[in-house]
Amino acid sequence: MKIYEAKDYQDLSRKAANIISAQVILKPNAVLGLATGSTPIGTYKQLVELYEKGDLDFSSVTTVNLDEYQGLSSGHDQSYRYFMEDNLFKHVNIPGERSFLPDGLAADGAAECRRYNTVIETTGGVDLQLLGIGGNGHIGFNEPDEDFKKETHLVTLTKETRLANARFFSSLEEVPTHAFTMGIGTIMAARKILLLANGEGKAQALYDSFFGPITPRVPASILQLHSDVIIIADKPALQLIHQHKGAL
Ligand code: PGA
């Protein structure tokens, strides 16, 4: 595991975009695992800039996203498909037919999970998985649980997560109660993992995930067993790690 401290959000975003860009340059047909949330927005902006400058070509890239709310259509402005279109897809040349997310409106949830697992398998596996982290240590929508779920599954969102995401909806009641998420096994199968965290709200989760016991109660803690994890975080997010572990 490598931890890079970013000076600020802009620096974090630039560092993350540079790593993703290097991946695409080294392997033009890379499979990128993508994430939503506030954290990666700046990274996507930087990637769009690199693309506009002619420094990056996504024409052979495939993308698979971590998760999607159940019950929201792709046109709903809080669906993750909409988020990805808005922040990245519509600005760059990732082929539409090779950008995958679970279908939030799938009538049969179990069948949709199976379909999404097959989609990921068919890509040949994720080369670089971008991750944010929840204040409770979740990755994707793998919430604290009794065990680690391997593959794509439907989750009941915790109250904490729904409250955290309520800022994007007009009321808490509108936040979906369920979501499809890639499983921990699939995330762990990614060849490289890039986890971003900013702000003191992530400090405890970051410390527990990388310096605490490996437990499904802190889903990101499983990443301690992955051989190629890069963490980019700002000082507030790293404060507990600094406090307990000294300078990195
Ligand atoms: P955030 O969410 O980037 O909006 O903080 C991260 C996450 O919940 O995984």
Side-chain angles (χ1 to χ4, degrees):
M1 156 181 89
K2 294 191 196 84
I3 303 183
Y4 295 109
E5 182 175 310
K7 287 197 283 289
D8 52 29
Y9 182 67
Q10 173 80 1
D11 184 39
L12 176 148
S13 302
R14 218 176 14 236
K15 283 181 162 60
N18 283 340
I19 290 170
I20 296 169
S21 155
Q23 170 69 71
V24 173
I25 290 167
L26 287 169
K27 185 176 177 187
N29 63 344
V31 179
L32 301 178
L34 298 179
T36 52
S38 314
T39 313
I41 290 178
T43 304
Y44 294 143
K45 266 204 187 96
Q46 294 288 330
L47 288 176
V48 171
E49 275 181 29
L50 289 169
Y51 169 74
E52 284 172 350
K53 276 198 274 179
D55 288 342
L56 205 46
D57 174 16
F58 292 97
S59 60
S60 301
V61 162
T62 298
T63 68
V64 287
N65 261 78
L66 282 169
D67 45 17
E68 179 60 284
Y69 286 120
Q70 188 184 36
L72 299 192
S73 70
S74 56
H76 189 291
D77 66 2
Q78 291 309 322
S79 76
Y80 287 167
R81 165 61 77 178
Y82 189 97
F83 174 102
M84 290 309 303
E85 294 291 341
D86 204 33
N87 286 288
L88 185 66
F89 296 160
K90 75 177 182 202
H91 306 287
V92 300
N93 64 338
I94 297 172
E97 70 281 8
R98 284 212 305 277
S99 68
F100 299 102
L101 283 92
D103 174 4
L105 287 189
D108 180 340
E112 178 56 13
C113 292
R114 286 194 297 276
R115 183 194 72 84
Y116 202 59
N117 286 331
T118 307
V119 163
I120 298 166
E121 262 171 52
T122 309
T123 67
V126 174
D127 290 298
L128 173 63
Q129 178 66 56
L130 180 63
L131 294 176
I133 184 168
N136 61 3
H138 75 201
I139 42 177
F141 271 134
N142 291 278
E143 299 280 31
D145 205 343
E146 299 297 317
D147 52 14
F148 292 111
K149 301 282 187 300
K150 264 176 77 181
E151 298 190 307
T152 307
H153 57 287
L154 253 176
V155 288
T156 305
L157 300 177
T158 59
K159 184 134 190 261
E160 234 171 336
T161 296
R162 292 186 65 237
L163 279 169
N165 291 1
R167 65 191 194 276
F168 302 116
F169 293 81
S170 35
S171 68
L172 179 60
E173 290 66 49
E174 281 184 30
V175 184
T177 53
H178 292 80
F180 294 99
T181 185
M182 227 186 237
I184 291 287
T186 309
I187 293 173
M188 286 293 285
R191 293 171 192 105
K192 186 186 271 298
I193 296 207
L194 175 58
L195 183 141
L196 310 180
N198 73 304
E200 64 181 336
K202 302 297 171 69
Q204 190 70 52
L206 213 51
Y207 179 76
D208 291 346
S209 298
F210 293 99
F211 296 94
I214 297 169
T215 163
R217 291 267 146 231
V218 183
S221 65
I222 192 79
L223 298 174
Q224 292 181 44
L225 299 180
H226 194 285
S227 60
D228 193 355
V229 178
I230 298 175
I231 299 160
I232 307 177
D234 64 0
K235 212 180 209 125
L238 288 172
Q239 61 184 273
L240 290 178
I241 295 180
H242 281 313
Q243 210 169 302
H244 291 274
K245 298 280 158 194
L248 292 161

